[in-house]
Amino acid sequence: MNTPPSPPSAERTDGSSVRIGALVPLSRPGWVEAGQHLLAGLELAVREVNDVGGIVGRPLELVVRDTAADPQRAAAAVDELARLGVAALAGEYHSVVARAAAARADALGLPFLCSSAVLDALTEQPTEWVARLAPAQSHGWRIYADFLLGAGHSRIAVAAEPSVYWASGARILRDYLAPRGGTVIELDMRKVAPTAVCDELVDNRATALLLLVGHPEPAVSIVKSVRRDQRLAEVMIGAPAGQPEFAEWATLLGDDSAAIPFLRYLPERLTPLGARVETALRERLGEAPSFVAFEGYDTVAVLADVLRSHGADRVRTAESWPRVAVEGTRGQIQFSRTPGISVWQWAWTPVQVVDRDPARPDRFRILHTG
């Protein structure tokens, strides 16, 4: 392993805190609600670690930086956190932002446990410094494609914005569906207005429309346009990236928020730890926690276990990824090398396709599991 020297501040013995740098989108254009849930999980786990003695008697401290969905801002935050002597990095929700953070962490020799971003190629080359809890996009989106086929959809339109993440998602769907008789029709949302999407769906005889676009816009406007077009009453709208997971979606769309299947990384039953954490997160957030909040909690649970075993030395932390065995909120967490994935990967967290129940949009229905 390439092992850049850790600054002296990364390993303190004077009883001062052990610091973890947290990358979280907390302002627009970042997905703020996702960031708030991620941070709630991180903070709850840090509090619980400190309630039982911290890291071998030293308090665990979270040093939070807002990435605002900006890759350059995230890379600068990684530089700053490395100078501050954090033992490791945690967090991030947006895949393109996490990719920038992972590249910088790899260059600096700073362990990074990515909580929630799914892009397969989180780093250009294989790295020992980065591990990930969320399932890779290719894994989750193939499960979503299986759901589409099982529901009888073979002509599938994708409303897509330009981004490595959206382009990767469209490619995964196309490559998986084509040999199975499916067709993916791409609508470039730089050229197609939300109101014009409806005509495209009719012209292409699409039975499903997937939202590979930002939240809240243009996703909300596209949903409203399609729902109001009588010609498209039978067209299913889907959102594999998970836009309907958060309460803001239901607030903005009301009844139109329901029956839009999305990916969620939860088991049918949480572990006993998960059930306890769910109660605490609900109290902290004032609403039901999303899977992203559990990802945040599990991130700190893993890092705390590693830091207790190996101290705050960055090299030893990175070397410990293959030996991790931690009971998380959603199952036993272990990391391995997975073909096509450049980082240490938990293979795999449970994957569900769910939607909001039309009878009660505040309640979710599990449609498919993988």
Side-chain angles (χ1 to χ4, degrees):
M1 183 196 295
N2 177 26
T3 54
S6 297
S9 55
E11 177 68 272
R12 293 190 177 98
T13 56
D14 58 2
S16 59
S17 61
V18 177
R19 295 166 135 196
I20 294 173
L23 303 173
V24 190
L26 294 173
S27 58
R28 297 286 188 198
W31 199 336
V32 174
E33 199 171 2
Q36 291 167 340
H37 279 235
L38 179 56
L39 184 58
L42 293 166
E43 288 179 337
L44 174 64
V46 167
R47 189 187 77 189
E48 292 188 357
V49 167
N50 288 332
D51 284 347
V52 294
I55 306 299
V56 196
R58 295 166 62 188
L60 188 61
E61 178 186 351
L62 209 58
V63 185
V64 180
R65 292 295 179 267
D66 174 16
T67 62
D70 183 335
Q72 290 179 306
R73 185 164 167 172
V78 174
D79 286 343
E80 180 201 1
L81 291 163
R83 288 193 303 271
L84 290 173
V86 299
L89 289 175
E92 196 43 53
Y93 176 79
H94 297 284
S95 279
V96 176
V97 180
R99 188 176 65 156
R104 202 72 200 111
D106 180 53
L108 293 171
L110 180 58
F112 175 28
L113 180 48
C114 182
S115 303
S116 201
V118 299
L119 198 65
D120 281 40
L122 208 54
T123 54
E124 291 297 324
Q125 301 295 329
T127 175
E128 301 296 322
W129 294 99
V130 183
R132 172 168 55 191
L133 287 177
Q137 188 178 19
S138 58
H139 178 72
W141 287 46
R142 285 170 189 153
I143 290 169
Y144 194 91
D146 276 333
F147 159 73
L148 291 172
L149 292 171
H153 298 290
S154 59
R155 292 190 63 78
I156 296 148
V158 296
E161 288 183 311
S163 142
V164 171
Y165 174 66
W166 299 126
S168 170
R171 185 172 60 253
I172 291 163
L173 292 169
R174 193 187 317 111
D175 290 350
Y176 191 81
L177 290 168
R180 295 164 176 81
T183 302
V184 174
I185 303 127
E186 291 193 49
L187 308 179
D188 186 341
M189 296 312 295
R190 292 173 298 182
K191 301 173 182 175
V192 181
T195 50
V197 168
C198 300
D199 290 337
E200 293 282 352
L201 295 176
V202 172
D203 292 345
N204 285 287
R205 306 190 318 282
T207 64
L209 170 67
L210 305 187
L211 303 172
L212 274 56
V213 294
H215 167 82
E217 291 299 338
V220 167
S221 292
I222 294 170
V223 172
K224 288 180 176 178
S225 294
V226 173
R227 291 286 203 226
R228 280 155 183 67
D229 193 316
Q230 293 302 312
R231 299 172 297 170
L232 303 174
E234 300 302 314
V235 169
M236 187 204 84
I237 304 174
Q243 294 94 325
E245 167 78 6
F246 298 97
E248 183 185 24
W249 179 263
T251 301
L252 292 170
L253 280 164
D255 290 345
D256 287 342
S257 68
I260 298 178
F262 64 94
L263 285 167
R264 182 171 72 166
Y265 308 127
L266 289 176
E268 290 199 51
R269 282 190 191 80
L270 293 164
T271 67
L273 169 65
R276 180 182 64 72
V277 167
E278 179 181 38
T279 301
L281 285 169
R282 187 182 291 270
E283 186 176 323
R284 181 174 281 255
L285 288 163
E287 62 185 8
S290 69
F291 70 86
V292 180
F294 292 103
E295 289 175 328
Y297 184 96
D298 286 342
T299 302
V300 170
V302 169
L303 286 175
D305 183 77
V306 169
L307 293 168
R308 287 190 191 106
S309 301
H310 304 290
D313 180 81
R314 292 172 177 175
V315 172
R316 293 174 69 192
T317 293
E319 289 174 345
S320 73
W321 297 135
R323 295 189 295 277
V324 163
V326 172
E327 186 63 31
T329 59
R330 299 162 298 149
Q332 178 86 354
I333 298 170
Q334 295 179 288
F335 299 114
S336 59
R337 285 300 191 185
T338 303
I341 310 301
S342 59
V343 301
W344 288 100
Q345 176 71 53
W346 180 18
W348 300 99
T349 178
V351 177
Q352 300 173 342
V353 179
V354 303
D355 70 358
R356 290 180 176 270
D357 188 340
R360 272 189 55 189
D362 63 332
R363 184 171 57 194
F364 296 107
R365 304 182 297 184
I366 299 173
L367 308 174
H368 184 76
T369 57

